[in-house]
Amino acid sequence: MIDLYYWTTPNGHKISLFLEEAGLAYTIHPVNISKNEQFEPSFLKIAPNNRIPAIVDHQPADGGEPLSLFESGAILLYLAEKTGQFLPKDLRGRQVALQWLFWQMGGLGPMAGQNHHFKRLAEKIPYALKRYTDETARLYGVLNKQLEGRQFVAGDEYSIADMAIYPWTVSHELQGQNLDDFPALKVWFERIKARPATQRAYALVDKINPPK
């Protein structure tokens, strides 16, 4: 059994996508970041950087004590290695998937996150709005090129790279992006959106954090 400390953000969705795809048993522990629950001492014992998601695996592969993990990319890699799923087993395929996982962690996530912040939460600063909208568009272009001639980011198989990237493209309209400008990305987006596990993962929003 895995305890998932979760909120309905792109980073939270990454882990629910994996758990639903792999069919792993898990229990959700909501961490309402709008109420600053991520700063609760009990949560900080699991996630010292006070960010969701985090997990506690009560059945780690080494048979030892429950294992806690924070950082969504590290969690995805751990779960892929634990289950033997969604990460290519050949050397070159594995490196492609990991490169794009880290590309999301270091590029698309932070830049799209700043895009969201300045569009929704901060005062409207034209320089910031243009900077992060343009950089998000550049990153979408990089992803679009990678997806040309491929079903998924790392090739023909769905992987943790796709699970990491997809949630950050769901809010493309808010980010000022039109998927028609990125045709290969658009086909990939619709392919993942249609997956039953994706639909189950996103249905959690209505249970955990329903729209007001």
Side-chain angles (χ1 to χ4, degrees):
M1 175 65 72
I2 290 175
D3 290 331
L4 171 60
Y5 293 82
Y6 163 93
W7 198 241
T8 56
T9 68
N11 287 332
H13 291 313
K14 295 177 191 177
I15 312 307
S16 59
L17 282 172
F18 188 103
L19 294 170
E20 288 294 336
E21 287 282 355
L24 294 176
Y26 68 100
T27 299
I28 286 182
H29 299 268
V31 180
N32 189 333
I33 60 177
S34 67
K35 296 181 179 179
N36 291 324
E37 291 177 358
Q38 70 271 30
F39 296 103
E40 293 291 331
S42 59
F43 179 64
L44 289 175
K45 290 179 180 179
I46 300 166
N49 196 36
N50 57 265
R51 296 286 188 273
I52 63 95
I55 66 167
V56 176
D57 184 358
H58 293 274
Q59 296 177 308
D62 64 2
E65 295 296 314
L67 175 65
S68 63
L69 283 165
F70 70 101
E71 285 296 325
S72 59
I75 295 169
L76 285 174
L77 181 55
Y78 171 78
L79 292 173
E81 292 179 337
K82 173 185 171 73
T83 63
Q85 297 183 70
F86 306 113
L87 184 62
K89 294 178 174 57
D90 66 288
L91 173 67
R92 295 176 188 274
R94 177 185 173 89
Q95 299 314 310
V96 172
L98 291 179
Q99 285 180 92
W100 287 93
L101 171 64
F102 295 142
W103 173 85
Q104 183 281 309
M105 296 294 297
L108 182 62
M111 294 301 102
Q114 292 296 324
N115 186 320
H116 292 173
H117 177 79
F118 283 102
K119 280 186 166 64
R120 297 183 63 184
L121 301 174
E123 63 177 294
K124 297 299 184 287
I125 302 171
Y127 172 80
L129 291 170
K130 183 176 188 306
R131 170 181 170 79
Y132 291 112
T133 299
D134 288 353
E135 179 60 7
T136 303
R138 186 191 72 81
L139 291 165
Y140 271 45
V142 172
L143 178 59
N144 185 74
K145 185 173 181 59
Q146 173 65 11
L147 287 165
E148 290 174 353
R150 295 179 176 87
Q151 289 195 70
F152 299 107
V153 172
D156 293 332
E157 296 183 8
Y158 188 51
S159 76
I160 55 174
D162 301 283
M163 295 178 196
I165 294 167
Y166 173 79
W168 283 101
T169 64
V170 170
S171 298
H172 54 269
E173 292 181 355
L174 176 62
Q175 298 165 14
Q177 308 304 318
N178 183 344
L179 292 190
D180 289 336
D181 296 332
F182 309 99
L185 193 164
K186 183 177 182 179
V187 171
W188 167 88
F189 177 88
E190 296 297 337
R191 180 179 292 122
I192 296 179
K193 183 179 179 181
R195 294 175 73 90
T198 302
Q199 295 173 21
R200 292 194 299 271
Y202 275 82
L204 294 172
V205 174
D206 290 332
K207 297 178 180 179
I208 303 299
N209 185 23
K212 295 180 175 61

